[in-house]
Amino acid sequence: MASSVNGAEEVRRSALTPLKLLGLVCLFLALCLDVGALLSPAWVTADGQYYLSLWQSCWKRTSSAEWSCNLTLNTGWQRATVTLFLAGAVHNLLCFIMALVSMFVGAVGRWHKLMAVLLFNAVVMQMCGLVLFPIKFIETVTLMVYHEFNWGYGLAWGSTIFSFGGGFLYCLNPKNYGEYY
């Protein structure tokens, strides 16, 4: 015997599903990691003598205890990295707001495809910036000491991965959620 569900019950039933909630959690984590990566002073460090973030480059001479710092937005690749990463973070923020509205209003499931497209766009932009950064850093900066890409760079990759996860979860067809459990 086939059961019939009217439209109002279907909207109410699909307003809060585990996959939508998990997508929202992925977006929240991506936003937190975006903020951490943008504010991090340590994208590249070198034996306590040098560090580079998205905003400034600082170094210390071995004979001195003082740090000398410069803004890093003077070259094209550094501006491009910041622009790509910030644009991806704005996409993540926009999708997070859309997901919250979708979650609490309930009847705006048509936004999920748009959110998925925006999130995949954010992933592409952030990945371009994250690949550009080490290539151009190694090509242009000459350090005579051991250097490593540090936790700020890792946070940026974490944000990109969670954005991809959120985009994937919002791609899933809400009518077929029963198949995923």
Side-chain angles (χ1 to χ4, degrees):
M1 188 161 134
S3 65
S4 64
V5 177
N6 66 24
E9 289 179 15
E10 185 175 332
V11 168
R12 186 177 57 234
R13 180 177 54 91
S14 66
L16 180 64
T17 60
L19 292 178
K20 287 182 191 177
L21 187 61
L22 189 57
L24 184 65
V25 169
C26 283
L27 285 175
F28 178 74
L29 291 173
L31 276 177
C32 291
L33 292 172
D34 276 337
V35 170
L38 286 169
L39 297 178
S40 167
W43 275 51
V44 177
T45 57
D47 286 337
Q49 297 175 8
Y50 177 82
Y51 72 85
L52 173 70
S53 72
L54 289 179
W55 311 107
Q56 67 180 358
S57 171
C58 295
W59 64 95
K60 178 175 73 168
R61 302 202 192 288
T62 54
S63 61
S64 173
E66 293 183 25
W67 286 88
S68 301
C69 296
N70 289 331
L71 292 178
T72 59
L73 299 178
N74 54 3
T75 63
W77 69 269
Q78 291 168 324
R79 286 189 300 267
T81 300
V82 169
T83 302
L84 287 166
F85 197 75
L86 276 174
V90 168
H91 277 72
N92 286 342
L93 178 63
L94 180 63
C95 288
F96 182 72
I97 292 169
M98 289 170 66
L100 283 177
V101 169
S102 175
M103 182 85 48
F104 293 114
V105 172
V108 282
R110 62 185 174 270
W111 287 2
H112 292 153
K113 287 182 184 178
L114 175 62
M115 288 169 44
V117 168
L118 286 173
L119 285 170
F120 288 135
N121 192 23
V123 167
V124 168
M125 286 189 291
Q126 287 183 337
M127 283 185 68
C128 287
L130 290 170
V131 169
L132 173 71
F133 183 80
I135 290 171
K136 296 305 282 184
F137 173 78
I138 291 171
E139 183 179 292
T140 59
V141 177
T142 305
L143 294 176
M144 299 299 175
V145 295
Y146 172 76
H147 64 278
E148 59 187 21
F149 293 95
N150 216 322
W151 60 271
Y153 186 69
L155 289 178
W157 272 108
S159 168
T160 304
I161 291 167
F162 278 110
S163 295
F164 180 79
F168 177 75
L169 289 170
Y170 281 110
C171 273
L172 297 176
N173 187 354
K175 296 186 187 302
N176 298 332
Y177 276 158
E179 297 175 10
Y180 301 114
Y181 308 122

